[in-house]
Amino acid sequence: MDRLSNTVRPYAWGSTTAIPALLGTAPTGEPQAEMWMGAHPGAPSRIARPNSTTDTNGTTATAHTTAPTERPLTDVIAADPEGELGAATVARFGPRLPFLLKLLAAGSPLSLQAHPDLDQARKGYADEEARGIPINAPHRTYKDANHKPELICALTPFDGLCGFRRPTEAADVMEALGVDSLKPYVDLLRAHPEEAALREVLTAILGADPAEMADTVAEAAAACERLGGAHAPYARIAHNYPGDPGVLAAMLLNYVQLQPGEALFLGAGVPHAYLDGLGVEIMANSDNVLRCGLTPKHIDVPELLRVVRFEATEPGVLRPEASPSGEERYETPVDEFALSRYTLASGAAPAELTAPTPQILLCTAGTVRVGELDLTPGQSVYVSAAEAVEATGSGTLFRATVAARTV
């Protein structure tokens, strides 16, 4: 196994204190939004392994081991995919780690977004490739041919938006603001079947004249500030994104407050946004995001409307399911990843973690010993497929791996 050196991404919405507090380091004053653990080409984790070389002289071979050098995990996996990932993982997902694990620290709202399903991603990527749109173009929608289901597990109280609420509930939220220019949306939400109502209102919000919409959002924000209570989250969103139509789109969604240990699963087509808090996030290894507000970035409205699932849902808050081994699993329908946690106690029997799949193990509390390595909060290790590993100590350990049903 290998200790990971990970990159922290300084996105503007990131908290300046949450990740430093977990790591026990001093804040820099800059936002620290996400710490990436895995083999994403944009910011792969790094590991230090001894380099082995073999010299041959006739029939004599001499092996040499040099001092460890730090290498990107992407390079390590590319050099021996089956040895690192296991044959079954490579056969199912190709020669790459199929998931990305993160610490996510939101100090202000992230963009309102949804993700495509696998078929939509493949078709969208192929179409944009055929049209010659550069992969880094600001208006490019599909960066790869993969879907991006994700799971966020709260480490602190965590606020977010997840899935459409019932149209009549959204109408009540908007109507209470007393903003005349919102009345057409309120009427649509009350007059149509659910799917048609949600589709028409989101389309109208995103297609409205920007100047007129900025005035409406400003009036709505002032009313949210005045009313407080259930309207307070939208006042906070509007403070960070003044005039953004996404403030109104957010009112169409369920507002969710997670307690530590609770999680949300975000499947294809589910609009969502994270507002505040620290969590462990795992996702399929993809960059495909369709934004629908709270961002200065490109919004591809026609494609968004094809991807979003216009159905009212209850936000499915997940709680871990315990097993006899002490592993607490967050059950999802995803093949690329599985997330679980262990709460370890001093003197207890070791937790046996050996698996036929690659793993990343992340400590979030206490001190945990994994093999010969001691982990403190925020530290993590990579474990290659079938490598023997067990954990002891006193603390919390998250385990990210490939879903067992796929291997």
Side-chain angles (χ1 to χ4, degrees):
M1 74 197 66
D2 303 274
R3 188 183 296 275
L4 293 176
S5 297
N6 303 306
T7 298
V8 175
R9 309 307 295 263
Y11 304 135
W13 50 260
S15 167
T16 59
T17 58
I19 289 179
L22 184 72
L23 298 176
T25 59
T28 64
E30 298 297 318
Q32 298 187 35
E34 296 180 346
M35 187 171 78
W36 288 18
M37 292 160 278
H40 188 287
S45 298
R46 301 169 301 283
I47 66 174
R49 282 190 186 175
N51 294 312
S52 296
T53 58
T54 302
D55 296 334
T56 58
N57 181 14
T59 60
T60 303
T62 304
H64 302 279
T65 300
T66 60
T69 57
E70 203 169 67
R71 291 185 289 162
L73 186 56
T74 43
D75 292 356
V76 173
I77 291 172
D80 183 14
E82 288 198 1
E84 297 295 335
L85 306 178
T89 298
V90 174
R92 177 69 176 82
F93 301 108
R96 62 188 185 89
L97 189 67
F99 63 84
L100 177 65
L101 186 68
K102 300 179 180 180
L103 280 173
L104 184 147
S108 59
L110 283 67
S111 64
L112 192 60
Q113 58 188 251
H115 305 302
D117 64 25
L118 189 55
D119 183 61
Q120 290 166 336
R122 288 171 174 168
K123 290 178 179 178
Y125 180 78
D127 174 67
E128 291 187 323
E129 286 289 282
R131 289 190 284 138
I133 301 176
I135 201 70
N136 59 350
H139 62 288
R140 174 91 185 216
T141 298
Y142 292 96
K143 308 294 186 181
D144 52 68
N146 200 17
H147 62 167
K148 193 185 177 185
E150 60 190 42
L151 175 80
I152 184 77
C153 177
L155 294 178
T156 67
F158 195 97
D159 294 359
L161 304 170
C162 177
F164 288 110
R165 66 201 331 162
R166 293 197 176 280
T168 53
E169 295 175 4
D172 290 342
V173 171
M174 289 187 177
E175 189 171 44
L177 300 178
V179 176
D180 289 343
S181 53
L182 291 179
K183 190 176 185 303
Y185 304 146
V186 172
D187 292 342
L188 284 171
L189 290 169
R190 296 201 191 282
H192 289 278
E194 286 188 350
E195 180 178 340
L198 294 168
R199 178 182 290 276
E200 287 190 39
V201 172
L202 183 63
T203 302
I205 288 171
L206 296 180
D209 177 82
E212 292 180 5
M213 182 56 67
D215 291 340
T216 296
V217 172
E219 287 187 63
C224 288
E225 186 75 35
R226 183 178 65 254
L227 291 171
H231 289 84
Y234 310 110
R236 189 167 78 247
I237 293 170
H239 176 76
N240 286 278
Y241 297 97
D244 193 306
V247 174
L248 302 181
M251 296 180 188
L252 302 176
L253 306 187
N254 295 297
Y255 173 62
V256 186
Q257 293 180 295
L258 299 179
Q259 296 305 309
E262 295 180 335
L264 282 176
F265 172 69
L266 292 312
V270 177
H272 61 277
Y274 303 143
L275 305 182
D276 183 72
L278 175 67
V280 175
E281 185 182 40
I282 189 168
M283 62 184 61
N285 211 341
S286 171
D287 290 324
N288 287 327
V289 175
L290 288 103
R291 296 175 177 84
C292 44
L294 311 183
T295 178
K297 294 183 179 180
H298 174 65
I299 297 177
D300 184 343
V301 175
E303 187 64 19
L304 173 72
L305 296 176
R306 282 191 286 270
V307 164
V308 168
R309 295 182 179 176
F310 290 95
E311 55 186 18
T313 59
E314 293 294 325
V317 176
L318 298 178
R319 295 173 181 85
E321 299 183 13
S323 67
S325 68
E327 184 179 23
E328 298 177 302
R329 301 188 184 98
Y330 293 90
E331 298 293 346
T332 71
V334 175
D335 291 340
E336 285 87 348
F337 64 74
L339 186 72
S340 59
R341 70 175 184 181
Y342 290 82
T343 302
L344 304 172
S346 297
E352 174 57 49
L353 303 177
T354 305
T357 55
Q359 304 180 70
I360 293 177
L361 306 175
L362 167 68
C363 175
T364 59
T367 300
V368 176
R369 189 167 182 81
V370 179
E372 300 300 316
L373 299 176
D374 289 326
L375 304 182
T376 56
Q379 295 183 337
S380 56
V381 297
Y382 162 75
V383 183
S384 56
E387 184 177 358
V389 61
E390 60 182 27
T392 58
S394 177
T396 302
L397 187 72
F398 278 84
R399 180 193 207 186
T401 187
V402 179
R405 61 181 170 271
T406 68
V407 297

